[in-house]
Amino acid sequence: MTKFMDEDFLLNTDAAKKLYHGYAEKMPILDYHCHISPMEIAQDRKFENITQLWLGGDHYKWRQMRSNGVPEKYITGDASDYEKFEKWAATLERAIGNPLYHWSHLELQRYFGYHGVLNSKTCKEVWDICNEKLAHTSCRQLIKDSGVTLICTTDDPADSLEWHEKIAADPTFDVKVLPAWRPDKATNINKPDYADYLDTLSKVSGVTINSFASLKEAIKIRMDFFIQHGANVSDHGIDYVPYAPSTDEEIEQIMSKKLAGEELTDLEVDKYKYEFLLFLAREYKKKNWVMQLHFGCKRDNNAAMFKKLGPDTGFDCIGDQVSTAAVANFFNALSATGDVPKTILYSLNPNDNSALGTILGCFQNDDAIGKIQLGSGWWFNDHFKGMTDQLTDLANLGLLGNFVGMLTDSRSFISYARHEYFRRILCRLLGSWVDDGQLPEDYEYLGSIVRDISYNNAVRYFGFDLTPVNE
């Protein structure tokens, strides 16, 4: 059996090997942003086969299968699970250089003990090995086996958080699972379901939402509800950060116009979103929450497939609509009143990283170490080059040693291999700097930085009830 991706995978120098194996390898995982289901954790879901675990809802893989000419029947359609797995195995053969090639094989090694190569010839062998293992495990066990200490899911303000309550009440599962606030539906006044969503939010908050003022009241009530369930993290999926200052009176007029069923102009939409984001950021500052802003994505580009399958099915791309000047202006408006919260900025467009890296330094202060963060390589950037570039940009323009590290941003219970991938790339980069004489060959010093980026910085930054690991 051919072996590859051994224990020194990506570690091309002695320094990289010492840093990874001596410091990064055994660090726990804090997954502060993901999309896994709290219901499935509460119910401790078991998977009948590797297709259910690997391909269900994974639009990363779906995109590549379509690129390999696979009919939709074998992707999101009614083909059997084994047929879908066969098509994925055949696709993976062609995915050299894609992070999915690395992630998939790391997951096979770490969770299933398979060190071969998945392809059309080995498909049945891998299918049987994985399914045998899955028959004796569950999603909770997969999480524990990954060394995870805490997970933040992604949750709408109207969510009942009942599954989080069930998890917290279960003494047999010691991994913390906390909700993270995702108010996109309340932000997207331009969406056709906005008014219906406000009705839902009205019911759960007990506030009749018929104005911007009443919306803010309802949002505060729901934030307090999330706090009662341990939340201190928010996340926003926005196309771009708008900069469109307005007045209270104008925002009320825009909201009234929307609730009356009238169409809004693009400028009116931007004004609403800008003022709503300002309001939320100020509330986050009061409550010491972390605000995550994900932007730079152009979503749902294939209208026909969106109509058929809905969002998050593999038809998004990198956008160029972000104005980094608007990002700076947004934070300047918050800074004027002392309301800049701890913030992590992620742009899907890697061309924004250098500009964002300079914006960070404009709004840092002693509220927190590394208060404004440049988020890890996200989505179309969480590959070898994207991660290396993000780490290098951050090092060049800020303080890499204060970085809060990797997140999964995934719906899969075995995507924690991405943390290993990230840590290997981090150690490879630092190792190359040691070999070049750019860093001292001081492993106690560099090892502490590797530990911090891998785990400890996130523990301290988010303020979770966890203990940093320094041994």
Side-chain angles (χ1 to χ4, degrees):
M1 181 174 63
T2 302
K3 290 190 176 182
F4 79 125
M5 291 176 59
D6 63 10
E7 65 274 9
D8 291 331
F9 171 58
L10 294 180
L11 307 176
N12 61 339
T13 64
D14 287 341
K17 294 171 186 177
K18 289 178 182 178
L19 289 172
Y20 180 75
H21 294 304
Y23 301 92
E25 187 171 19
K26 300 300 182 183
M27 291 298 287
I29 289 173
L30 196 167
D31 193 12
Y32 55 85
H33 173 65
C34 72
H35 296 277
I36 61 175
S37 165
M39 179 184 73
E40 291 181 348
I41 299 175
Q43 295 176 340
D44 199 16
R45 179 183 175 183
K46 297 188 72 170
F47 298 88
E48 296 176 11
N49 56 60
I50 184 63
T51 295
Q52 291 182 6
L53 178 63
W54 241 11
L55 294 171
D58 191 342
H59 54 81
Y60 282 66
K61 294 185 178 75
W62 295 352
R63 285 173 67 96
Q64 305 313 321
M65 292 170 77
R66 293 181 186 119
S67 295
N68 205 37
V70 175
E72 197 67 27
K73 170 183 177 179
Y74 299 99
I75 303 173
T76 60
D78 60 0
S80 71
D81 285 348
Y82 182 69
E83 289 174 314
K84 291 179 179 180
F85 185 71
E86 279 187 305
K87 297 297 185 183
W88 169 242
T91 297
L92 193 62
E93 291 182 50
R94 315 302 295 178
I96 54 173
N98 190 291
L100 284 166
Y101 195 84
H102 292 151
W103 297 347
S104 297
H105 287 102
L106 281 175
E107 290 168 7
L108 289 174
Q109 290 184 12
R110 300 297 173 261
Y111 296 98
F112 303 103
Y114 183 77
H115 289 263
V117 179
L118 174 59
N119 53 39
S120 297
K121 293 179 181 179
T122 61
C123 178
K124 182 61 167 61
E125 175 191 10
V126 175
W127 172 264
D128 290 339
I129 289 172
C130 292
N131 294 347
E132 171 61 24
K133 293 274 188 180
L134 289 174
H136 303 286
T137 192
S138 64
C139 70
R140 288 190 181 188
Q141 192 59 52
L142 292 169
I143 291 170
K144 289 182 178 181
D145 290 346
S146 303
V148 179
T149 60
L150 186 146
I151 294 168
C152 289
T153 58
T154 302
D155 308 279
D156 186 87
D159 195 287
S160 68
L161 303 184
E162 60 182 297
W163 300 111
H164 294 85
E165 293 175 356
K166 293 181 187 299
I167 296 167
D170 187 346
T172 66
F173 188 59
D174 59 359
V175 178
K176 299 177 186 293
V177 180
L178 304 179
W181 170 271
R182 178 82 171 230
D184 292 358
K185 291 182 179 178
T187 305
N188 292 329
I189 194 170
N190 52 312
K191 298 290 187 180
D193 59 351
Y194 175 79
D196 290 339
Y197 176 73
L198 292 191
D199 289 340
T200 301
L201 195 58
S202 293
K203 291 173 183 175
V204 299
S205 66
V207 175
T208 301
I209 302 174
N210 52 18
S211 64
F212 192 58
S214 56
L215 171 62
K216 292 191 288 186
E217 182 183 352
I219 288 292
K220 290 179 183 179
I221 290 171
R222 295 307 294 174
M223 288 185 75
D224 288 341
F225 177 72
F226 269 60
I227 289 171
Q228 292 167 14
H229 290 78
N232 67 349
V233 180
S234 74
D235 181 61
H236 299 257
I238 53 181
D239 295 335
Y240 54 88
V241 177
Y243 181 69
S246 187
T247 63
D248 290 344
E249 293 76 13
E250 189 171 5
I251 297 302
E252 291 293 1
Q253 291 171 3
I254 291 170
M255 189 125 175
S256 295
K257 184 177 176 180
K258 176 66 176 181
L259 294 179
E262 299 178 40
E263 289 292 321
L264 300 181
T265 66
D266 290 344
L267 179 58
E268 287 173 328
V269 169
D270 279 353
K271 286 185 174 184
Y272 169 87
K273 289 184 176 180
Y274 174 73
E275 294 296 336
F276 189 53
L277 285 172
L278 280 180
F279 158 71
L280 289 169
R282 289 173 175 139
E283 291 301 309
Y284 300 153
K285 178 63 167 63
K286 292 176 186 175
K287 295 172 168 56
N288 197 29
W289 280 23
V290 174
M291 175 173 69
Q292 296 179 92
L293 298 177
H294 285 87
F295 48 79
C297 178
K298 186 176 184 302
R299 298 179 185 271
D300 307 322
N301 295 289
N302 188 326
M305 293 304 290
F306 174 76
K307 184 177 180 180
K308 180 179 179 181
L309 298 175
D312 302 321
T313 50
F315 301 100
D316 307 316
C317 71
I318 293 172
D320 61 358
Q321 68 273 53
V322 173
S323 164
T324 51
V327 176
N329 289 337
F330 173 74
F331 281 101
N332 185 49
L334 292 170
S335 180
T337 52
D339 290 322
V340 177
K342 289 186 287 188
T343 303
I344 307 177
L345 298 173
Y346 311 79
S347 178
L348 198 58
N349 192 330
N351 294 326
D352 296 333
N353 277 351
S354 292
L356 293 175
T358 61
I359 290 171
L360 308 183
C362 299
F363 301 101
Q364 307 283 22
N365 60 34
D366 60 1
D367 286 349
I369 295 173
K371 177 177 175 177
I372 316 297
Q373 293 269 334
L374 179 64
S376 62
W378 167 50
W379 197 348
F380 295 122
N381 301 304
D382 51 9
H383 46 69
F384 179 87
K385 183 178 184 299
M387 290 183 186
T388 302
D389 287 350
Q390 185 271 345
L391 290 166
T392 304
D393 284 339
L394 179 54
N396 287 339
L397 300 168
L399 294 178
L400 178 59
N402 291 339
F403 181 37
V404 294
M406 189 58 177
L407 67 168
T408 62
D409 189 33
S410 172
R411 292 165 176 78
S412 170
F413 289 99
I414 58 173
S415 60
Y416 298 107
R418 297 180 193 182
H419 284 258
E420 176 182 342
Y421 191 58
F422 166 82
R423 292 172 185 181
R424 287 178 179 274
I425 291 169
L426 169 67
C427 293
R428 177 189 176 104
L429 181 63
L430 297 185
S432 71
W433 292 345
V434 171
D435 271 21
D436 287 346
Q438 297 185 56
L439 289 176
E441 194 173 3
D442 182 339
Y443 292 106
E444 183 177 352
Y445 160 57
L446 295 177
S448 68
I449 288 181
V450 167
R451 286 197 190 106
D452 285 348
I453 295 173
S454 297
Y455 182 73
N456 294 334
N457 285 344
V459 171
R460 300 180 184 115
Y461 183 77
F462 290 94
F464 295 128
D465 184 20
L466 298 169
T467 302
V469 177
N470 292 306
E471 295 181 353

